[in-house]
Amino acid sequence: MSNPSIQAGSNAPGRATRPTTITVAFWAFLASTLLGLANGVVTLLSGNSVGNATSTVIVDNGTELTETQVDQVATATNAGALVFSVIMSLLYVLFAAKVRAGRNWARILLTVVTGLQLLAITFGQSTTLGYLSALSALVGAVLCFAKPSNDYFAAVKTSR
């Protein structure tokens, strides 16, 4: 009896057929990415920024920064954080695509990132979107290690 998750696909001779668990994991990772980005944008727009904590900052040499200078630093920090988030999101989508293609290293990497995401919401402040993003990533990571997924990764490795 042959395993349906490793049978050759009709349009790609010799290639493993992608199981539903991998397809759902891919979409779960994409959902996690979108929810994480939405969380960052909401946080940025809601005023939870570096500069809103205080209007006066004293630097190491005792010089006091003006409110305008604090706002400029906060704006630059928030812009940097947003750019970093977009770059990380693009990488996350790339890794999800690699999981979909059967690359085991991407499965391991996204599992580690999911673990870090769970640690971040456990020990840090999070929002509903942050929790939903982590939950979605957890679903994707778990599905990546289901039996049909394991068979798929093995079949892809063998076919290369």
Side-chain angles (χ1 to χ4, degrees):
M1 181 172 168
S2 66
N3 187 336
S5 66
I6 57 174
Q7 291 177 348
S10 59
N11 59 355
R15 297 297 311 239
T17 301
R18 186 180 314 117
T20 303
T21 53
I22 291 296
T23 301
V24 174
F26 171 77
W27 289 107
F29 286 129
L30 287 185
S32 175
T33 303
L34 293 175
L35 289 164
L37 275 176
N39 184 42
V41 169
V42 167
T43 300
L44 184 65
L45 295 177
S46 69
N48 294 336
S49 65
V50 174
N52 290 339
T54 181
S55 61
T56 304
V57 175
I58 299 176
V59 293
D60 285 341
N61 66 4
T63 305
E64 200 173 287
L65 296 177
T66 66
E67 190 172 334
T68 302
Q69 291 171 322
V70 171
D71 287 341
Q72 290 171 343
V73 168
T75 300
T77 302
N78 289 335
L82 187 61
V83 168
F84 180 77
S85 294
V86 168
I87 291 169
M88 292 307 295
S89 295
L90 291 173
L91 286 172
Y92 202 78
V93 169
L94 172 68
F95 299 147
K98 293 298 183 180
V99 163
R100 191 172 184 216
R103 300 296 188 258
N104 191 52
W105 63 265
R107 169 173 70 160
I108 293 167
L109 181 67
L110 284 178
T111 301
V112 169
V113 170
T114 298
L116 293 173
Q117 190 175 4
L118 291 171
L119 282 173
I121 66 166
T122 301
F123 296 111
Q125 295 178 346
S126 192
T127 64
T128 301
L129 286 173
Y131 287 118
L132 290 173
S133 175
L135 178 64
S136 182
L138 182 61
V139 167
V142 168
L143 288 173
C144 280
F145 288 93
K147 180 163 177 23
S149 300
N150 288 334
D151 293 344
Y152 173 66
F153 285 105
V156 168
K157 183 177 180 180
T158 306
S159 72
R160 289 191 301 142

